Amino acid sequence: MAGTRPFDQQKRQIRLGGGVHQVMVAPDLITDQSFSFKLQESGTNRDYRSFEEKVQTYLHAITAPAMAAYPEATPFGGIAVKAAAQGSPLRIPDMMSSRYHMNDVSSLLRGKRVAIVGLGGTGSYILDFVARTHLDRIALFDDDKVHVHTIFRIPGFIVDAIGSLKVDALARQYGNWHSGLEPVPERITLANIDRLAGFDFVFVSVDDGPARKLIVDWLSARGIPYVDCGMGLDWSLAGLSGFVRITGTDRKAYDDNVGSARLPIENAKENEYRKQAQITELNAMNAIMAVIRFKQHFKLLDRLDEATSYIFDTATMEME
C-alpha cells in the first residue's frame, strides 16, 4: 500500500500486521508499506481457504473504514476499466467466460446486431438474457408505455417505470449491463419495416397476428434470421392450460407454419393470456426457448434436429 498506515473512522490505526516496508509489485508500482494477517476461527489463526478469500478479506479491511466515512466511495472502479479493456459493449467484464475457458464461444456474438420487436412480457425477458452477451447492438422496438398491470410482466422491478415508454424504461435499466442498447419507440408496420434491414437476427414477440405475419414474411423473404414467440392460455377444469411456442429461423419455417397454431396470423377470439398478469414464468419460458434457438443459430449451443417450430405444453410439461 502507498502512503501512511490507514486509520478507521474512530481514528485508530487499523491493525494489519506488517509495517513500513517497500515492496515492488511491478517496476512502476512500489508500495510504501506491507501488511499480512490471518483469519481467526474459534480463537485461533487459520489459513485462507482460497486466494479469493484472502483478497476479499484484505480489500474489506482497507476499504470498509473509507466507505463508512464516504458512503458514495467504491473500491470497484477497476470493473469498468476491465470491461472496457475487453473491447465489448458489456459494462461488466465477462469473467465467467474466461474463468471457464469459454471466451471463444461467447465471442461468437461479437459484432452481431439484433432487434427485439415487442417488449412485453416475453420481449423484456429476452432482453434480460441477451443484454449479458457481447452483442454489438440491441435495438428495442415498441411504442407502448409501462402500465400498472403490465409492470408485472417485466423482470425484476424498474423504479419509476410506470408511465414511461417501455423501450426507454428497459434501456435505462439494462443500460447498466450493456452500452449498445437502442430504444426505438415505434410499432413495426409496413411504413417502417425496412428499419429491420441490416440486423443479424430479429426476435419477434408481438401479440398481434397480422403484424406477426407482416414481420416474419418480410424478414424471411430477405434472409434475415428470426425467431417468432408466442403463447396461448385457456381455462380448463383444473386451472389455466396452454402452450408456449417458438418458430424460426428462415423462409422454410415461415412456409411450413404460416397460418397454423405454430405461426398464427389472426388474433385469438378468446384467450386468457391478455387477462393474466401473473404468468411471468411462461414469458420467461418463451424467452428461454427463443434465446436457445438464437444461440443455436450462431453455434453457441449445439442443435441436433431440423425442426422449424417447438411447442411446450404447460399441462403435460412436454415439448413437441
Side-chain angles (χ1 to χ4, degrees):
M1 104 187 116
T4 61
R5 302 289 285 181
F7 290 76
D8 64 18
Q9 52 268 49
Q10 279 77 44
K11 299 182 179 180
R12 298 172 304 189
Q13 190 176 87
I14 300 175
R15 299 181 63 183
L16 298 173
V20 178
H21 177 61
Q22 286 196 337
V23 178
M24 179 181 288
V25 180
D28 58 346
L29 177 59
I30 300 175
T31 67
D32 299 318
Q33 306 198 40
S34 66
F35 70 89
S36 176
F37 62 89
K38 301 286 187 181
L39 286 178
Q40 285 208 335
E41 191 172 88
S42 301
T44 60
N45 290 340
R46 72 161 174 84
D47 291 333
Y48 292 99
R49 296 190 176 95
S50 67
F51 183 69
E52 180 180 8
E53 183 185 42
K54 183 175 184 178
V55 171
Q56 291 288 356
T57 301
Y58 283 9
L59 180 65
H60 177 74
I62 297 173
T63 62
M67 294 178 69
Y70 304 97
E72 300 301 316
T74 174
F76 301 116
I79 288 179
V81 175
K82 178 67 174 178
Q86 289 189 333
S88 166
L90 283 173
R91 298 191 189 277
I92 307 294
D94 181 13
M95 306 302 290
M96 289 292 286
S97 292
S98 58
R99 184 172 186 172
Y100 294 106
H101 309 291
M102 299 286 286
N103 282 330
D104 56 335
V105 176
S106 61
S107 292
L108 291 172
L109 295 181
R110 286 182 180 269
K112 300 291 189 296
R113 297 149 51 95
V114 306
I116 305 174
V117 182
L119 272 295
T122 299
S124 59
Y125 271 94
I126 290 172
L127 174 60
D128 187 74
F129 299 138
V130 301
R132 304 159 199 259
T133 69
H134 292 285
L135 288 167
D136 183 63
R137 177 185 171 203
I138 306 171
L140 313 176
F141 289 87
D142 199 308
D143 69 343
D144 198 8
K145 292 183 178 180
V146 179
H147 302 284
V148 173
H149 64 285
T150 58
I151 197 169
F152 281 86
R153 298 188 190 272
I154 297 174
F157 182 79
I158 304 178
V159 177
D160 298 328
I162 295 173
S164 302
L165 286 164
K166 287 180 181 177
V167 294
D168 289 341
L170 288 164
R172 183 175 70 249
Q173 179 82 345
Y174 286 94
N176 294 310
W177 272 108
H178 202 286
S179 65
L181 300 186
E182 179 188 358
V184 185
E186 299 177 14
R187 180 185 297 269
I188 293 296
T189 65
L190 186 61
N192 67 350
I193 196 168
D194 59 347
R195 295 205 61 167
L196 298 180
F199 286 100
D200 297 291
F201 198 95
V202 177
F203 292 94
V204 183
S205 53
V206 300
D207 59 3
D208 181 76
R212 176 183 297 110
K213 181 179 186 299
L214 168 69
I215 296 168
V216 176
D217 184 15
W218 190 91
L219 292 170
S220 61
R222 286 157 181 78
I224 300 174
Y226 67 91
V227 61
D228 177 65
C229 312
M231 67 176 68
L233 285 176
D234 291 293
W235 282 106
S236 68
L237 294 177
L240 291 171
S241 176
F243 66 88
V244 179
R245 64 152 193 91
I246 59 167
T247 302
T249 59
D250 54 19
R251 187 65 186 183
K252 184 178 187 304
Y254 174 83
D255 292 337
D256 287 353
N257 299 289
V258 65
S260 72
R262 296 174 179 275
L263 190 61
I265 58 176
E266 295 182 358
N267 294 328
K269 294 180 176 57
E270 295 293 335
N271 191 299
E272 293 297 323
Y273 172 74
R274 291 176 178 271
K275 305 175 186 178
Q276 302 294 327
Q278 302 285 18
I279 52 168
T280 52
E281 70 283 354
L282 298 185
N283 289 126
M285 178 73 174
N286 208 179
I288 288 168
M289 293 166 63
V291 173
I292 287 174
R293 189 67 192 87
F294 157 73
K295 288 189 174 181
Q296 286 178 332
H297 178 79
F298 288 111
K299 312 300 183 185
L300 277 80
L301 294 175
D302 196 10
R303 186 183 180 202
L304 299 178
D305 66 33
E306 296 299 324
T308 58
S309 185
Y310 303 84
I311 295 181
F312 174 77
D313 189 313
T314 66
T316 64
M317 298 285 281
E318 294 178 347
M319 186 80 73
E320 178 187 344

